[in-house]
Amino acid sequence: MSESPNGTRRALITGVTGQDGSYLAELLLEKGYEVWGIVRRSSTLRRSRIDHLHHPGADARERFKLVYGDLGDASSLFRIVEEVQPDEVYNLAAQSHVQVSFETPEYTADVTGLGVARLLEALRSLKPDARFYQASSSEMYGKVVETPQRETTRFHPRSPYAAAKVFAFELTRNYREAYGMFALNGILFNHESPRRGENFVTRKITRAAARIKVGTQDQVCLGNLDAKRDWGFAGDYVEGMWRMLQADEADDYVLATGDTNTVRLFCEHAFARLDLPLTWRGEGEQTEGVGPDGRVLVAIDPRYYRPSEVDLLLGDPARAKAELGWEPQVNFQGLVEMMVDADLALAQSEVNRG
């Protein structure tokens, strides 16, 4: 592994202000890295997940630097790679919301797909010895052809987002094979945390449950309650990313828990954590979760169904466990409780602020 001139390994993270980016930045700083994060210019600052790393007085503030750039702008990526000269690059940025990708397919393809081409070209031209991690997604499996899904399972994407991720996956592998670059893909199954965006279903559920508990929200509207996902904790998964780039050879790995649960069960665990048990009535689009006092707490809204649904995702992390020594530490129930507890504290603070 190469190092920067001062002897400290230097990492570059795209998407550093997101859930995974913030956990990864914390991990790398703890390991002594100098961490550079790419942020996009916008009219509002959205850096709440990394404020504790960048504010004056933060322990590792001198080793955490932010630079403006965009996966849609090749010139900014070339400028950043030339300035930073990174030893490791983690590409976590994307238009990552599946439902939104149906509404903005061209934008999703450009950022999530072609953005990887721009970044890989910058590295090939200016820092070809850098180790490159591409954040691939279990959504690439889509209409699954086998269960569980593993590194050899054929992709069948069911959304513009997933299709863009397949392009990025194949391109990363191509740069590894064509140019000998240390470039690899982490095929990560769903991973959540209290830092998950509120437009993702898990956080939407835990945020709503907490607000219902404190009386500031009446119900939550959801789509397909029977969709099954392999949910893990984001903090565990960023360690897997790091372990991939420490390997002797570049290869692609699945990170998953090997356990699958429905959106319905996620709801039940979240509401039970707050002593808001649910019963279910009706079928199909009329299914509703009813609280003990007869109130409808979970309502089904057809608007939240995808044009083409992914019914079941279940990963096989055997290779990552055997070859990388990676092991998820937080189970499904622990994850739900962690998220609910954090959102309850947030909801209570909102009430206290009036």
Side-chain angles (χ1 to χ4, degrees), residues 96-347:
S96 59
H97 196 281
V98 174
Q99 184 63 44
V100 170
S101 77
F102 284 101
E103 301 163 5
T104 59
E106 183 179 345
Y107 173 75
T108 300
D110 183 57
V111 174
T112 307
L114 286 176
V116 179
R118 298 181 185 108
L119 184 52
L120 282 169
E121 269 299 286
L123 292 173
R124 184 179 73 86
S125 301
L126 301 171
K127 195 67 169 65
D129 63 335
R131 298 190 169 203
F132 177 77
Y133 172 87
Q134 165 60 17
S136 292
S137 168
S138 60
E139 288 285 334
M140 299 188 302
Y141 295 119
K143 189 175 182 180
V144 299
V145 297
E146 66 175 350
T147 299
Q149 295 86 53
R150 49 183 63 89
E151 290 83 358
T152 56
T153 302
R154 180 172 59 84
F155 299 138
H156 187 144
R158 299 269 284 173
S159 67
Y161 165 76
K165 281 291 188 181
V166 170
F167 170 80
F169 176 95
E170 297 293 354
L171 192 68
T172 298
R173 184 162 60 181
N174 178 253
Y175 271 65
R176 179 170 74 227
E177 296 175 352
Y179 303 117
M181 294 174 62
F182 196 104
L184 56 79
N185 295 277
I187 308 172
L188 273 58
F189 281 66
N190 296 67
H191 46 288
E192 320 296 316
S193 76
R195 301 179 191 177
R196 191 54 145 156
E198 293 181 28
N199 57 339
F200 289 85
V201 66
T202 53
R203 185 75 195 288
K204 183 178 180 180
I205 293 168
T206 60
R207 192 85 168 94
R211 285 174 166 167
I212 291 170
K213 180 67 174 179
V214 301
T216 57
Q217 184 169 329
D218 295 326
Q219 65 177 207
V220 58
C221 295
L222 301 174
N224 182 11
L225 293 176
D226 296 319
K228 295 180 179 180
R229 294 294 184 268
D230 185 330
W231 280 300
F233 172 51
D236 291 338
Y237 285 55
V238 298
E239 183 187 346
M241 299 176 190
W242 175 78
R243 285 176 179 260
M244 290 181 207
L245 290 197
Q246 313 315 305
D248 293 333
E249 296 182 4
D251 205 347
D252 307 318
Y253 291 93
V254 164
L255 295 187
T257 68
D259 182 32
T260 189
N261 293 280
T262 63
V263 174
R264 184 190 307 273
L265 188 59
F266 195 105
C267 285
E268 290 176 349
H269 278 291
F271 280 78
R273 179 68 171 176
L274 299 173
D275 295 321
L276 294 169
L278 296 171
T279 56
W280 303 92
R281 71 184 183 196
E283 295 181 355
E285 294 182 358
Q286 301 305 312
T287 303
E288 298 172 335
V290 183
D293 59 358
R295 287 187 300 153
V296 175
L297 305 183
V298 179
I300 303 306
D301 189 330
R303 291 178 301 171
Y304 295 113
Y305 279 82
R306 300 177 184 176
S308 52
E309 185 60 74
V310 175
D311 297 317
L312 167 64
L313 292 175
L314 174 62
D316 179 4
R319 280 194 60 226
K321 291 182 177 182
E323 298 180 17
L324 303 176
W326 178 79
E327 192 77 39
Q329 301 299 310
V330 179
N331 63 18
F332 175 69
Q333 183 167 342
L335 173 66
V336 177
E337 292 178 355
M338 174 198 304
M339 294 178 66
V340 170
D341 292 351
D343 276 328
L344 179 60
L346 180 60

Side-chain angles (χ1 to χ4, degrees), residues 29-42:
L29 289 169
E30 289 172 2
K31 292 182 178 296
Y33 281 69
E34 180 179 303
V35 176
W36 292 66
I38 297 180
V39 295
R40 291 185 298 162
R41 286 194 180 274
S42 64

